[in-house]
């Protein structure tokens, strides 16, 4: 592999706006320049490439010879078109840049893209060619664009003056549907001089883009690049496999969660529902209502036997009335109180009005009727068990006992 320093001269004149090369002359030239820069830097890690423009306000060096491909390609963005191509000045400045290269062991080469007419005559170009040959600088010329019929002849004169040991080349690319970069791949600009030296990593690539090597790189020419491409491909394949496995695991977890949710719903549906009575209430609710009803009836019966102030206190404060009831129950109830309770139970209309006034109580409810019957039976039994008035034992002492 040849150790080489290369300067590429780009034509950015007004002629580059033409569209006879797809998509335009300038874009086709930019693609070809990028391809050549990549081929030069990949053929040998110590190769360097620089870029300059030949038109506009003057010759402008975009990048001095460097092995940093990113720096070279970034310098090609944002170029302005205009003016005429100054080939003579561009070749002289490119030769000066190569003269100040860091590695003096590198061979010198200039690549010129000529896409517009050449204004210099053959004598001037021949003199430039001889100067390049004297300084051991090789020259490659890419001739495209057919406005100037005399341009190919002038460029041939320049090539004949600079060529030494068949180290310089010229390629005439006519307009057509094929890309400029594709037409240059099979030319000596990429394949070298044919003796095995100077060949690039793209030497095995045909014009149609096909290749007999993996990734289009000959491992014999650039084993490091071929190994790097192979490792990158294996890493990408492993990444895709891991991503597919992760998606499958997430799908399995989601399906398992749905099964657990369905199982929980089935268990909830299988739980027994509390039995309802005929009125749509559960047994526990009916028991609670019966307890409240018994308590309300007891309060109404006990309060009815006291004086007029007692009911008024009960209405104001239910807890105070309940306490008074408990205190009244603690004392002995006389015969008249029992008689009043019996009268209350016997008065069905009064009981019905009392029950109707209670919230949530239906006087016609069978359970309410059964409760009233049981209370009345209990009172009758108590009356039968009580002794007559004449048989009461007087506990209080008389005056004679004192």
């Amino acid at each position: 592999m040849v150790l080489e320093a290369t300067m590429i001269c780009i034509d950015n004149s007004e002629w580059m706006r033409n569209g006879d090369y797809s998509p335009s002359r300038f874009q086709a030239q930019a693609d070809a320049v990028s391809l050549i820069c990549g081929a030069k830097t990949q053929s040998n890690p110590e190769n360097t490439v620089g870029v300059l423009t030949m038109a506009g306000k003057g010759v402008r060096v975009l990048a001095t010879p460097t092995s940093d491909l990113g720096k070279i390609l970034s310098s090609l963005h944002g170029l302005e078109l205009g003016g005429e191509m100054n080939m003579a000045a561009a070749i002289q400045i490119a030769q000066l840049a190569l003269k100040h290269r860091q590695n003096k062991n590198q061979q010198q080469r200039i690549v010129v893209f000529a896409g517009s007419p050449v204004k210099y005559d053959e004598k001037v170009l021949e003199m430039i060619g001889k100067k390049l040959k004297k300084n051991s600088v090789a020259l490659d010329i890419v001739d495209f664009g057919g406005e100037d019929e005399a341009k190919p002849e002038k460029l041939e004169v320049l090539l004949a003056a600079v060529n030494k040991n068949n180290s310089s080349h010229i390629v005439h690319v006519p307009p057509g549907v094929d890309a400029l970069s594709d037409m240059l791949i099979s030319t000596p600009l990429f394949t070298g001089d044919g003796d095995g030296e100077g060949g690039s990593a793209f030497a095995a690539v045909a014009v149609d883009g096909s290749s007999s090597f993996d990734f289009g790189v000959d491992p014999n020419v650039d084993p490091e690049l071929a190994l790097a491409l192979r490792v990158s491909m294996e890493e990408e394949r492993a990444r895709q496999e891991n991503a597919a496995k992760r998606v499958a695991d997430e799908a399995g977890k989601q399906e398992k969660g749905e099964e657990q949710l369905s199982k929980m719903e089935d268990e909830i549906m299988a739980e027994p529902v509390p039995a309802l009575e005929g009125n749509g209430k559960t047994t526990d609710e009916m028991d609670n209502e019966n307890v409240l009803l018994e308590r309300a009836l007891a309060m109404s019966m006990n309060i009815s036997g006291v004086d007029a102030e007692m009911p008024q206190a009960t209405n104001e404060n239910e807890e105070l009335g309940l306490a008074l009831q408990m205190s009244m129950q603690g004392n002995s109830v006389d015969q008249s109180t029992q008689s009043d309770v019996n009268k209350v139970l016997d008065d069905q209309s009064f009981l019905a009005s009392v029950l109707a006034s209670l919230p949530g109580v239906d006087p016609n409810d069978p359970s309410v009727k059964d409760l009233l019957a049981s209370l009345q039976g209990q009172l009758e039994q108590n009356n039968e068990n009580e002794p007559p008035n004449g048989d009461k034992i007087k506990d209080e002492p008389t005056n004679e006992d004192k």
Side-chain angles (χ1 to χ4, degrees):
M1 293 180 291
V2 176
L3 181 61
E4 195 173 62
T6 306
M7 284 296 296
I8 301 178
C9 302
I10 299 177
D11 187 356
N12 60 328
S13 63
E14 287 289 344
W15 299 92
M16 294 299 100
R17 301 183 188 275
N18 291 356
D20 49 353
Y21 293 84
S22 178
S24 66
R25 284 190 186 183
F26 182 76
Q27 188 60 45
Q29 177 186 216
D31 294 340
V33 170
S34 300
L35 193 63
I36 292 177
C37 292
K40 296 292 185 180
T41 56
Q42 291 173 11
S43 62
N44 193 319
E46 296 184 7
N47 281 355
T48 58
V49 180
V51 181
L52 60 81
T53 57
M54 297 186 293
K57 297 180 180 180
V59 177
R60 177 187 173 192
V61 178
L62 302 178
T64 56
T66 178
S67 59
D68 188 355
L69 182 60
K71 182 179 178 180
I72 300 171
L73 297 180
S74 63
S75 65
L76 300 177
H77 294 285
L79 294 180
E80 296 181 358
L81 304 182
E84 296 181 356
M85 178 182 65
N86 190 348
M87 180 181 292
I91 293 176
Q92 292 176 5
I93 293 176
Q95 180 184 356
L96 184 62
L98 292 175
K99 183 178 180 180
H100 292 86
R101 66 192 183 280
Q102 295 181 355
N103 189 353
K104 299 301 181 179
N105 294 326
Q106 293 174 326
Q107 297 183 11
Q108 305 174 77
R109 181 175 296 274
I110 298 175
V111 179
V112 177
F113 282 83
S116 58
V118 178
K119 63 180 180 180
Y120 298 100
D121 55 15
E122 296 180 359
K123 293 183 178 180
V124 175
L125 296 175
E126 184 179 3
M127 183 177 60
I128 294 174
K130 290 181 179 181
K131 186 177 181 179
L132 293 176
K133 183 178 181 179
K134 181 179 179 180
N135 294 310
S136 300
V137 180
L139 178 65
D140 291 336
I141 303 173
V142 179
D143 176 24
F144 64 106
E147 291 82 12
D148 188 3
E149 296 180 356
K151 183 176 67 170
E153 297 179 1
K154 294 180 180 181
L155 295 178
E156 291 287 349
V157 172
L158 174 61
L159 179 66
V162 70
N163 195 8
K164 178 181 180 181
N165 298 328
N166 199 24
S167 60
S168 300
H169 313 89
I170 186 171
V171 179
H172 301 282
V173 183
V177 295
D178 295 331
L180 180 61
S181 57
D182 292 342
M183 298 295 294
L184 296 177
I185 286 178
S186 58
T187 62
L189 272 72
F190 288 90
T191 60
D193 299 330
D195 56 356
E197 296 182 355
S200 70
F202 293 87
V205 182
V207 175
D208 57 356
S210 61
S211 174
S212 59
F213 303 105
D214 294 337
F215 315 112
V217 178
D218 185 1
N220 297 322
V221 175
D222 196 346
E224 295 179 357
L225 177 61
L227 178 61
L229 291 175
R230 186 177 297 105
V231 172
S232 177
M233 181 64 68
E234 292 177 355
E235 291 178 352
E236 178 65 18
R237 186 181 297 108
R239 186 190 66 80
Q240 293 179 358
E241 292 177 356
N242 292 335
K245 183 178 179 181
R246 184 166 55 253
V247 171
D249 293 342
E250 292 178 357
K253 291 180 180 179
Q254 183 177 3
E255 183 178 358
K256 184 177 181 180
E258 293 178 355
E259 292 178 356
Q260 292 180 354
L261 180 60
S262 177
K263 185 177 180 180
M264 292 176 61
E265 292 178 353
D266 295 339
E267 292 178 356
I268 293 174
M269 294 298 294
E271 291 181 357
V273 180
L276 299 176
E277 297 292 334
N279 55 1
K281 298 180 180 180
T282 62
T283 306
D284 295 338
E285 292 177 353
M286 294 295 297
D287 294 340
N288 294 333
E289 290 183 358
N290 293 336
V291 173
L292 295 175
L293 180 59
E294 292 178 359
R295 187 176 301 173
L297 289 174
M299 290 175 61
S300 63
M301 289 186 294
N302 291 329
I303 294 173
S304 63
V306 299
D307 54 6
E309 295 180 358
M310 186 72 67
Q312 183 177 1
T314 304
N315 294 331
E316 293 177 356
N317 194 326
E318 182 179 357
E319 294 181 357
L320 179 59
L322 183 58
L324 290 174
Q325 173 195 353
M326 294 175 63
S327 63
M328 292 295 294
Q329 289 178 351
N331 300 327
S332 60
V333 182
D334 56 3
Q335 187 68 24
S336 60
T337 302
Q338 295 294 336
S339 177
D340 293 338
V341 172
N342 292 334
K343 291 180 180 180
V344 170
L345 292 176
D346 292 338
D347 192 352
Q348 298 296 331
S349 61
F350 177 72
L351 280 177
S353 63
V354 172
L355 295 175
S357 63
L358 295 176
V361 179
D362 185 7
N364 297 324
D365 195 338
S367 60
V368 176
K369 292 181 179 180
D370 294 341
L371 179 59
L372 292 176
S374 62
L375 290 175
Q376 187 173 4
Q378 184 177 0
L379 291 175
E380 291 177 357
Q381 185 177 1
N382 292 337
N383 292 334
E384 293 176 357
N385 295 333
E386 288 182 358
N389 294 336
D391 296 336
K392 284 186 179 180
I393 300 174
K394 297 181 180 179
D395 296 333
E396 297 180 0
T398 59
N399 293 331
E400 295 178 357
D401 294 335
K402 293 179 181 180

